[in-house]
Amino acid sequence: MRLSTRSRYGLKAIVDLAVYYGEGPVALPVLASLQGISESYLEQLLRALKKVNVVETVRGVQGGYSLSRDPSQITVQEVLSVLEGSTAVVDCVDTESNGCKNACTCSARPLFLKLQTKINDVLSATSIQDLADDYIQQKRRLLDAKGLS
Amino acid sequence: MRLSTRSRYGLKAIVDLAVYYGEGPVALPVLASLQGISESYLEQLLRALKKVNVVETVRGVQGGYSLSRDPSQITVQEVLSVLEGSTAVVDCVDTESNGCKNACTCSARPLFLKLQTKINDVLSATSIQDLADDYIQQKRRLLDAKGLS
DNA sequence: ACAAAACACGACTGAAATAGTAAACTATTT
DNA sequence: AAATAGTTTACTATTTCAGTCGTGTTTTGT
């Protein structure tokens, strides 16, 4: 049930990009240092997200990564599916794949279906914009608190 | 996000035990053959579930495994926590452990918290009895359908 | 008493996934 | 041309997963 670090780093990088959305590309070293991970590793994750058109890149000086679409048009579901391979808790409820032949006699399937539905609800109802908004607000609160003390 | 086979086999074995609840212990070879897995492997899973008092055992001839409590008093959450180690999607929202020091500045945390809440809702609201009931009903439907044809 | 049934425990293994690095590219701008 | 920055492939170490094996110990039927 655990989410890989791939997913965590990748998702957070996408939120970082959302914060700078509209201000031109952000260079890999900048993104990597925001999270304290190696450039090579993060690059690997962003590459996967580029393939499915979540991010786009500009090469050369002043180049970098940026979101391909408005952050409100990118769901967490989309990002995690790519990084995680699939967001299914068990293969037999994976809408992408072909299910399981014992499906109709599996005593746990009803549970898995319900669980998967709830998970997909959250993941597809949450956009990158949502996360970025929360994030910006939270940082503001922290700054305010510091200003008052 | 994937559930281990440990969890799937273990959970299904517990549902099997629920079906026989009140009729004395069920021997390991019987349980193992119900799912087509090795006795050694299933024994390992049941051992973990015995430690936390989900199943109890009787040794010797005519011995076997049975649920320690009424199936309505055992939640899926309880079973999966043991088999999976934890049902947390990320360490930082694991109620058992001590969280993450970057919690207040993590852009993905609000999402993880919401997701975890929904997952725990499902897992702790579902009892083994619920699964067993569905399972028995489903088998009945299959038999009826056969009878009519 | 003793053999058979049945659970108990720990060690072990092979394969796969995860996490991450390194190096040698190619493209773009100045 | 030089510097910047993304691209690609290959590689490796570690951990997790799935599963087996062997050797116990307990109980019961005869």
Side-chain angles (χ1 to χ4, degrees):
Chain A
M1 293 279 297
R2 199 139 285 162
L3 221 56
S4 64
T5 61
R6 265 177 80 85
S7 294
R8 286 190 279 125
Y9 287 137
L11 181 60
K12 287 165 80 173
I14 293 297
V15 177
D16 287 338
L17 285 179
V19 171
Y20 295 108
Y21 185 67
E23 303 174 19
V26 183
L28 184 56
V30 175
L31 289 172
S33 76
L34 278 175
Q35 295 193 49
I37 59 175
S38 79
E39 299 174 27
S40 324
Y41 188 34
L42 183 56
E43 190 271 336
Q44 206 179 83
L45 311 182
L46 291 173
R47 204 158 78 211
L49 289 162
K50 185 187 176 183
K51 268 194 195 150
V52 296
N53 200 39
V54 166
V55 302
E56 57 189 22
T57 56
V58 177
R59 284 181 151 200
V61 180
Q62 301 301 319
Y65 293 83
S66 54
L67 298 183
S68 312
R69 283 169 274 151
D70 191 273
S72 67
Q73 299 306 305
I74 304 174
T75 65
V76 170
Q77 167 79 52
E78 203 174 347
V79 174
L80 293 189
S81 299
V82 174
L83 295 170
E84 203 70 7
S86 153
T87 59
V89 289
V90 285
D91 286 339
C92 88
V93 296
D94 194 341
T95 46
E96 318 283 294
S97 85
N98 48 1
C100 152
K101 61 182 178 314
N102 298 322
C104 15
T105 58
C106 172
S107 60
R109 199 173 137 91
L111 169 76
F112 294 152
L113 283 172
K114 199 196 296 179
L115 184 60
Q116 192 66 58
T117 301
K118 294 285 184 179
I119 290 175
N120 288 347
D121 282 354
V122 173
L123 299 186
S124 58
T126 309
S127 75
I128 298 302
Q129 176 86 63
D130 294 334
L131 296 187
D133 285 348
D134 278 3
Y135 184 44
I136 291 166
Q137 244 184 54
Q138 188 151 46
K139 282 209 296 194
R140 228 194 312 270
R141 268 199 299 275
L142 275 175
L143 284 177
D144 287 353
K146 235 184 244 167
L148 289 173
S149 68
Chain B
M1 293 278 297
R2 199 140 285 163
L3 222 54
S4 64
T5 61
R6 264 178 82 85
S7 294
R8 286 190 279 126
Y9 287 137
L11 181 59
K12 287 166 79 172
I14 293 296
V15 177
D16 286 339
L17 284 179
V19 171
Y20 295 107
Y21 185 65
E23 303 174 18
V26 183
L28 183 57
V30 176
L31 289 171
S33 75
L34 278 174
Q35 296 194 48
I37 59 175
S38 80
E39 300 174 27
S40 327
Y41 187 36
L42 184 56
E43 191 265 339
Q44 202 179 85
L45 311 182
L46 291 173
R47 210 154 77 205
L49 289 161
K50 185 188 175 182
K51 268 194 195 148
V52 296
N53 200 40
V54 166
V55 302
E56 57 189 21
T57 57
V58 176
R59 283 182 152 202
V61 181
Q62 301 300 320
Y65 294 82
S66 53
L67 298 182
S68 311
R69 284 168 273 151
D70 191 272
S72 67
Q73 299 306 303
I74 304 174
T75 66
V76 170
Q77 167 80 52
E78 204 174 345
V79 174
L80 294 189
S81 301
V82 174
L83 295 170
E84 203 72 5
S86 153
T87 60
V89 289
V90 285
D91 286 339
C92 88
V93 297
D94 194 341
T95 46
E96 317 283 293
S97 85
N98 48 3
C100 153
K101 60 182 180 313
N102 299 322
C104 15
T105 57
C106 172
S107 60
R109 199 174 138 89
L111 169 77
F112 294 151
L113 283 173
K114 199 197 296 177
L115 183 60
Q116 192 66 57
T117 301
K118 295 286 184 180
I119 289 174
N120 288 347
D121 282 353
V122 173
L123 298 186
S124 58
T126 309
S127 75
I128 298 302
Q129 178 85 63
D130 294 335
L131 297 186
D133 285 347
D134 278 2
Y135 184 43
I136 291 167
Q137 246 185 50
Q138 188 151 46
K139 281 208 297 194
R140 226 194 313 270
R141 267 199 299 275
L142 275 175
L143 284 176
D144 286 354
K146 236 185 243 167
L148 288 174
S149 67

